């Protein structure tokens, strides 16, 4: 008896769709949105790591996002350096900011820490508005060079594959960390700081690492965004965006390795799809309502539901197999 | 040679003294019990040694001759002092195996799996629940896991806080039997805090009795067992 594992087939089809998507959809705007979704996924994966794995909270991720974006924009446009250097500098500067922001997390918990991170996001936002000579302030930052390989300037397709590869790498890195001693000690701290400390786990070090990683991923996302958009204005770096990033992580699933990706994709596309149907005034309400419903009814996020659907089958499949073999053995014994 | 030597240890919570100039020592390989009624400062004593509460200035805690007052908790743990906290604080979201792995930082890589295997031998219940989240274990199993975590850490001094708390008598006697076995086999030093003197006395070499933040009585088991104070505190009804 051979059971066709339709879920495996579904998974392969889904992965194949992700890979060939730019060739299926001729709509350039949707492809641009997909690129934004990938960027958001990178950032939200960092938040999943910070919040779901390390138990820390940040409502100021847009601050790191902005630091990455403006750093890369400045270095490539004003200083004429190559893009890769801009991205690296964007990551490093956000990482530095993340290290500084991890200091209050030693003493502060949940609510108070979130206030500190909101303040951080606000500070960065105000700096963007006022450091006009560097950021262009409210007039924006123009002429950021697009990415290119040799003489080929990236179109949306090129960006799509670049970002997809980066996202996959990010997820693999997080997966590795999650299953290392560092990852396990983070879960331990998340469960019980005191018990973790008396087991010899350095909780400060773990918090610093979590903040640094999530900040660098936000910085990476920001610098990718700068080159994709070619133009920066202060709007995508408000507190609203920070909370949107948190919503992505929560909707996708805070303890799920793919949570950031699932949430990032859904919350990037959902409002835009709703906008098309003559709902201009309501689309944000519906999006917010979706977030509320997911949080209330699926506190573990959509990622977990999807995982369960796949796992549920394989699990019952395994039990079924076990029962069949047991039965066979029994039959063999009676013969 | 004394492994742990405590001098003038004083701890207070917001100005209210919990430990008042406590001094005592533990020799290598000994089992020392700290007895005392609720609020005597037993748990505070362990927390002070572990670095989880701040000690007053004049306090001295010498571990292998080195003063550890003021060190961060994880550093003290890495020096070889394992603390099994009150109320079995296992990591509920980690599996049993992961709980043990996380606690075995000190142990060198090649000995780690052997140490963990040893815990599974001592507590067979855990072996069958290796991959289960620790939060789904019963109270007794969680206590076993908490003790197991201290064992894999390769610590020389193990401090156990109220291992009998909230457990069924059968499980309690299992756990104390295992503790005795561990001490005999592995040549560890054990500092045991326990309200139930009947359980801890047979296991111990020496006893300290704490009351209202002070040591009111100390001595070997035989000396202390017959004292009037202990009789009043624990055996009056028998």
């Amino acid at each position: 008896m051979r059971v066709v594992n339709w879920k495996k087939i579904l998974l392969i089809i889904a992965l194949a769709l992700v890979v060939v998507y730019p060739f299926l959809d001729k709509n350039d705007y949707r492809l641009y949105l997909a690129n934004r979704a990938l960027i958001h996924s990178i950032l939200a994966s960092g938040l999943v790591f910070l919040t779901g794995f390390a138990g820390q909270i940040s409502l100021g991720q847009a601050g790191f996002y902005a630091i990455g974006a403006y750093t890369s924009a400045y270095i490539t446009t004003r200083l004429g350096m190559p893009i890769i250097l801009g991205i690296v500098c964007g990551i490093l500067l956000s990482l530095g900011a993340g290290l500084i922001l991890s200091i209050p997390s030693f003493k502060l918990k949940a609510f108070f820490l979130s206030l500190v991170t909101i303040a951080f996001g606000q500070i960065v936002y105000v700096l963007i508005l006022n450091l006009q000579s560097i950021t262009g302030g409210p007039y924006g930052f123009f002429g950021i060079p697009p990415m290119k390989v040799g003489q080929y300037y990236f179109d949306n397709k090129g960006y799509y594959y670049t970002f997809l590869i980066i996202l996959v790498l990010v997820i693999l890195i997080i997966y590795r960390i999650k299953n290392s001693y560092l990852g396990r000690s983070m879960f331990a701290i998340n469960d019980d700081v005191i018990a973790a400390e008396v087991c010899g786990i350095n909780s400060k070090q773990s918090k610093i690492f979590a903040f640094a990683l999530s900040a660098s991923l936000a910085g990476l996302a920001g610098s990718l965004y700068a080159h994709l958009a070619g133009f920066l204005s202060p709007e995508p770096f408000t507190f609203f965006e920070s909370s949107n990033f948190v919503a992505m992580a929560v909707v996708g699933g805070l303890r799920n390795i793919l949570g950031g990706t699932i949430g990032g994709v859904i919350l990037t596309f959902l409002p835009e799809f709703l906008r098309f149907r003559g709902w201009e005034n309501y689309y944000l309400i519906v999006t917010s309502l979706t977030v509320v419903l997911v949080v209330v009814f699926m506190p573990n996020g959509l990622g977990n539901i999807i995982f369960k659907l796949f796992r549920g089958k394989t699990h019952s499949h395994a039990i079924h197999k076990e029962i069949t073999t047991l039965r066979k053995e029994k039959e063999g014994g009676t013969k | 040679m004394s492994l742990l030597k405590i001098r003038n240890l004083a701890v207070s919570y917001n100005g209210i003294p919990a430990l008042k100039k406590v001094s005592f020592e533990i020799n290598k390989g000994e089992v020392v019990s700290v007895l005392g009624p609720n609020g005597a400062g037993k748990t505070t004593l362990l927390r002070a040694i572990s670095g989880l509460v701040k000690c007053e200035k004049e306090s001295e805690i010498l571990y292998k001759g080195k003063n550890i007052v003021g060190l961060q908790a994880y550093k003290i743990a890495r020096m070889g002092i394992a603390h099994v906290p009150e109320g079995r604080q296992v990591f509920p979201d980690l599996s049993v195996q992961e709980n043990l792995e996380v606690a075995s930082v000190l142990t060198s890589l090649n000995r780690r799996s052997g140490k963990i295997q040893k815990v599974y031998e001592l507590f067979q219940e855990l072996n069958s629940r290796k991959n289960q989240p620790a939060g789904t274990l019963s109270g007794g199993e969680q206590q076993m896991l908490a003790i197991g975590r201290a064992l894999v850490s390769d610590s020389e001094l193990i401090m156990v806080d109220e291992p009998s708390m909230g457990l069924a008598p059968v499980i309690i006697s299992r756990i104390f039997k295992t503790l005795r076995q561990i001490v005999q086999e592995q040549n560890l030093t054990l500092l045991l805090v326990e309200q139930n003197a009947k359980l801890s006395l047979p296991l111990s070499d020496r006893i300290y009795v704490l009351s209202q933040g002070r040591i009111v009585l100390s001595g070997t088991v035989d000396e202390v067992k017959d004292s009037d104070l202990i009789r009043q505190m624990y055996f009056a009804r028998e």
Side-chain angles (χ1 to χ4, degrees):
Chain A
M1 181 187 69
R2 225 186 130 80
V3 187
V4 179
N5 194 345
W6 60 273
K7 270 172 184 163
K8 214 176 220 169
I9 294 169
L10 211 68
L11 190 69
I12 291 167
I13 293 175
L15 285 177
L17 272 180
V18 169
V19 173
V20 298
Y21 171 73
F23 292 97
L24 297 178
D25 198 344
K26 294 281 172 261
N27 184 327
D28 213 38
Y29 179 63
R30 265 204 296 277
L31 197 49
Y32 172 75
L33 273 185
N35 289 333
R36 290 290 301 275
L38 290 173
I39 290 175
H40 290 159
S41 301
I42 293 169
L43 192 148
S45 297
L47 258 182
V48 164
F49 185 79
L50 180 73
T51 308
F53 297 180
Q56 302 300 305
I57 197 163
S58 170
L59 280 164
Q61 288 307 95
F64 301 117
Y65 190 53
I67 291 174
Y70 278 97
T71 305
S72 191
Y74 189 85
I75 284 177
T76 51
T77 313
R78 302 280 155 82
L79 305 180
M81 300 285 191
I83 288 176
I84 185 77
L85 195 71
I87 294 175
V88 169
C89 290
I91 293 172
L92 287 180
L93 224 65
S94 323
L95 185 138
L99 288 178
I100 293 168
L101 202 65
S102 71
I103 296 169
S105 77
F106 302 155
K107 294 258 171 201
L108 302 175
K109 272 187 188 151
F111 176 67
F112 300 96
L113 184 60
S114 62
L115 283 182
V116 171
T117 56
I118 289 173
F120 165 75
Q122 272 322 100
I123 290 170
V124 175
Y125 180 66
V126 171
L127 285 177
I128 294 172
L129 282 180
N130 291 305
L131 288 175
Q132 278 201 26
S133 57
I134 299 170
T135 65
Y139 304 110
F141 195 119
F142 293 91
I144 304 162
M147 294 182 184
K148 62 171 183 175
V149 173
Q151 287 309 304
Y152 165 70
Y153 281 91
F154 280 14
D155 55 2
N156 275 331
K157 262 181 212 156
Y159 281 116
Y160 182 87
Y161 288 112
T162 314
F163 295 173
L164 188 64
I165 290 168
I166 293 175
L167 176 64
V168 169
L169 287 178
V170 165
I171 291 170
L172 285 178
I173 289 170
I174 293 179
Y175 182 78
R176 281 285 301 167
I177 296 171
K178 185 191 172 194
N179 290 314
S180 71
Y181 170 73
L182 193 62
R184 273 192 298 261
S185 57
M186 272 175 189
F187 276 102
I189 292 165
N190 207 352
D191 278 343
D192 194 322
V193 179
I194 288 174
E197 283 269 332
V198 297
C199 280
I201 295 167
N202 186 345
S203 66
K204 266 187 193 171
Q205 206 179 40
S206 298
K207 283 176 184 171
I208 293 174
F209 181 81
F211 265 99
L213 183 72
S214 79
S216 348
L217 288 179
L220 168 67
S223 46
L224 296 180
Y225 170 69
H227 297 287
L228 171 73
F231 164 75
L232 291 178
S233 68
E235 282 89 66
F237 307 112
T238 55
F239 171 65
F240 175 76
E241 279 305 307
S242 284
S243 51
N244 211 7
F245 294 143
V246 174
M248 286 171 190
V250 173
V251 166
L254 279 175
R255 287 224 155 173
N256 195 307
I257 188 88
L258 291 178
T261 309
I262 293 165
V265 169
I266 289 175
L267 283 191
T268 308
F269 276 103
L270 185 68
E272 297 296 327
F273 280 161
L274 292 172
R275 187 140 70 169
F276 278 126
R277 308 223 165 122
W279 290 33
E280 288 84 355
N281 297 321
Y282 309 112
Y283 76 99
L284 281 180
I285 300 178
V286 177
T287 311
S288 309
L289 205 65
T290 314
V291 174
V292 172
L293 288 177
V294 169
V295 171
V296 172
F297 292 106
M298 302 169 233
N300 291 325
L302 290 168
N304 260 33
I305 306 255
I306 295 170
F307 266 53
K308 248 185 208 158
L309 280 178
F310 276 90
R311 241 181 236 145
K313 173 76 181 179
T314 48
H315 184 61
S316 59
H317 188 67
I319 291 175
H320 179 76
K321 227 174 171 179
E322 206 168 299
I323 292 172
T324 348
T325 43
L326 276 176
R327 204 174 280 157
K328 263 184 197 160
E329 270 171 24
K330 214 176 174 188
E331 278 169 11
T334 48
K335 270 175 196 171
Chain B
M1 186 206 138
S2 60
L3 186 67
L4 189 77
K5 191 168 192 169
I6 291 178
R7 252 180 283 166
N8 295 330
L9 177 61
V11 175
S12 57
Y13 296 117
N14 295 324
I16 301 160
L19 285 178
K20 300 164 194 164
K21 299 208 168 183
V22 170
S23 300
F24 73 94
E25 52 190 288
I26 303 174
N27 297 317
K28 207 168 150 46
E30 256 185 335
V31 177
V32 172
S33 273
V34 177
L35 299 175
N38 283 331
K42 306 186 298 290
T43 296
T44 303
L45 176 68
L46 294 197
R47 292 171 67 91
I49 297 170
S50 277
L52 293 171
V53 292
K54 238 180 139 176
C55 309
E56 309 264 306
K57 262 185 235 145
E58 69 274 24
S59 308
E60 251 186 0
I61 303 174
L62 299 169
Y63 179 67
K64 294 182 181 172
K66 197 174 168 251
N67 197 355
I68 58 171
V69 169
L71 283 182
Q72 283 160 297
Y74 81 92
K75 280 186 185 152
I76 294 174
R78 287 182 186 189
M79 289 175 78
I81 300 181
H83 183 170
V84 182
E86 196 177 27
R88 322 180 270 280
Q89 294 174 352
V90 296
F91 305 120
D93 291 330
L94 294 183
S95 72
V96 170
Q97 174 80 14
E98 286 170 337
N99 261 276
L100 294 174
E101 279 172 11
V102 138
S104 57
V105 226
L106 278 172
T107 321
S108 59
L109 266 173
N110 47 359
R111 291 181 53 219
R112 214 171 272 182
S113 59
K115 279 261 174 190
I116 290 174
Q117 203 47 47
K118 178 81 194 158
V119 170
Y120 286 142
E121 277 164 27
L122 283 170
F123 301 111
Q124 309 258 320
E125 292 90 332
L126 298 180
N127 195 21
S128 55
R129 301 188 190 282
K130 256 182 208 172
N131 299 314
Q132 209 169 302
T136 63
L137 299 180
S138 72
E141 288 160 350
Q142 288 191 16
Q143 185 61 272
M144 293 171 195
L145 179 57
I147 292 172
R149 232 170 33 187
L151 291 178
V152 295
S153 70
D154 225 5
S155 300
E156 275 181 67
L157 174 63
I158 292 182
M159 309 192 292
V160 187
D161 198 353
E162 297 265 0
S164 69
M165 197 165 98
L167 298 180
V170 187
I171 308 282
I172 295 174
S173 69
R174 254 297 304 282
I175 283 173
F176 273 86
K177 225 177 258 170
T178 314
L179 278 177
R180 184 199 295 260
Q181 188 189 341
I182 294 162
V183 169
Q184 284 167 352
E185 281 178 10
Q186 306 191 14
N187 191 31
L188 290 168
T189 311
L190 190 66
L191 175 57
L192 185 62
V193 160
E194 180 58 60
Q195 289 228 32
N196 191 335
K198 254 180 156 180
L199 289 170
S200 54
L201 285 182
L203 196 68
S204 313
D205 300 317
R206 284 190 303 120
I207 309 274
Y208 288 98
V209 181
L210 263 182
S211 177
Q212 301 197 345
R214 284 201 178 86
I215 289 179
V216 290
L217 189 67
S218 65
T220 62
V221 175
D222 294 328
E223 288 164 14
V224 173
K225 204 158 63 179
D226 300 324
S227 81
D228 291 339
L229 192 70
I230 277 283
R231 224 169 250 163
Q232 270 172 18
M233 279 170 77
Y234 289 104
F235 301 118
R237 259 171 276 149
E238 293 200 2

